[in-house]
Amino acid sequence: MADATAQSGADWRVRFEATALPHMPALHTASLRLTRDSQLAADLVQDTCLRAYRAFDQFKPGTNCRAWLFSILYSVFNTGYRKAQRELTGMQMAALEVEYENWLGGSVALPAWTTQDAAVDPLDPQVQGALDALPEAFRSAVMLVDIGELSYEEAANVMGCAVGTVRSRLARARRVLFAALLPYARETGYARIGGRA
């Protein structure tokens, strides 16, 4: 019986690694833009990975794993992740790290993007500033659909709202971003008026 349980756990881990881990860089990019702090972003991705691993039996094969992982990420973030992280002592953080390693059996080598010096495709500072200035609901819509490449339906599921709400927030966010970035786009030659930059 113990051998069957060990084999089942190994199969579970292999399926998780093959299905979920390829999406971790996208989750890290989103978490970095949410937290605006590389250490918090790495911690948020680790917490998301741990929760996804624990709940992997709830993932339906053949569906969009990235959307499922984003829903976990946003749930963790929106239920006070930032506050909880600030309140954790060093000892509690060490205990969480040990628990994380134990859950993965220590056999999964996570890619470099989970460390403090993780490299994320940076947005232009002007674009990042305009994105940061958006209200959270608008920024989330842009991050999920335009940056995370989720469908409207998947983003709605992650955000816990109607598809029409996602469309509305995204349209408003794009209008605000357009207005905020138009002078910069003209200055850098991305926007042309009358055939001139």
Side-chain angles (χ1 to χ4, degrees):
M1 186 67 158
D3 288 340
T5 303
Q7 181 63 34
S8 175
D11 291 344
W12 180 288
R13 187 175 298 117
V14 167
R15 285 194 320 272
F16 180 79
E17 288 175 9
T19 307
L21 289 187
H23 301 289
M24 292 298 147
L27 291 182
H28 187 265
T29 299
S31 67
L32 187 58
R33 294 202 170 108
L34 281 171
T35 63
R36 299 180 188 100
D37 179 275
S38 61
Q39 184 57 54
L40 283 177
D43 292 344
L44 179 55
V45 171
Q46 272 198 337
D47 198 8
T48 299
C49 189
L50 175 60
R51 290 175 191 232
Y53 184 75
R54 287 178 176 169
F56 195 56
D57 62 328
Q58 298 171 21
F59 173 70
K60 296 179 181 130
T63 61
N64 188 337
C65 186
R66 179 184 282 205
W68 180 72
L69 292 166
F70 266 102
S71 67
I72 295 170
L73 178 89
Y74 272 79
S75 174
V76 171
F77 182 76
N78 288 328
T79 55
Y81 184 80
R82 291 174 289 184
K83 181 180 179 218
Q85 286 302 100
R86 285 193 300 267
E87 292 173 354
L88 288 177
T89 66
M91 187 176 288
Q92 288 170 316
M93 283 303 296
L96 283 176
E97 289 170 8
V98 168
E99 179 187 5
Y100 180 71
E101 290 300 322
N102 288 341
W103 268 100
L104 296 181
S107 66
V108 178
L110 292 178
W113 44 259
T114 61
T115 64
Q116 278 186 338
D117 59 350
V120 173
D121 292 337
L123 288 177
D124 181 285
Q126 293 281 349
V127 175
Q128 185 65 57
L131 188 59
D132 289 346
L134 289 172
E136 178 64 36
F138 290 6
R139 185 168 61 250
S140 293
V142 170
M143 288 175 54
L144 291 170
V145 177
D146 291 338
I147 297 173
E149 300 178 354
L150 299 187
S151 69
Y152 290 116
E153 292 77 13
E154 291 163 346
N157 185 44
V158 169
M159 295 172 70
C161 62
V163 172
T165 303
V166 172
R167 289 182 190 278
S168 173
R169 288 176 182 175
L170 195 55
R172 291 177 184 175
R174 287 173 177 165
R175 281 196 299 270
V176 170
L177 288 172
F178 179 81
L181 293 171
L182 184 58
Y184 177 67
R186 287 179 178 152
E187 177 185 314
T188 56
Y190 286 110
R192 297 176 185 267
I193 296 180
R196 294 163 49 181

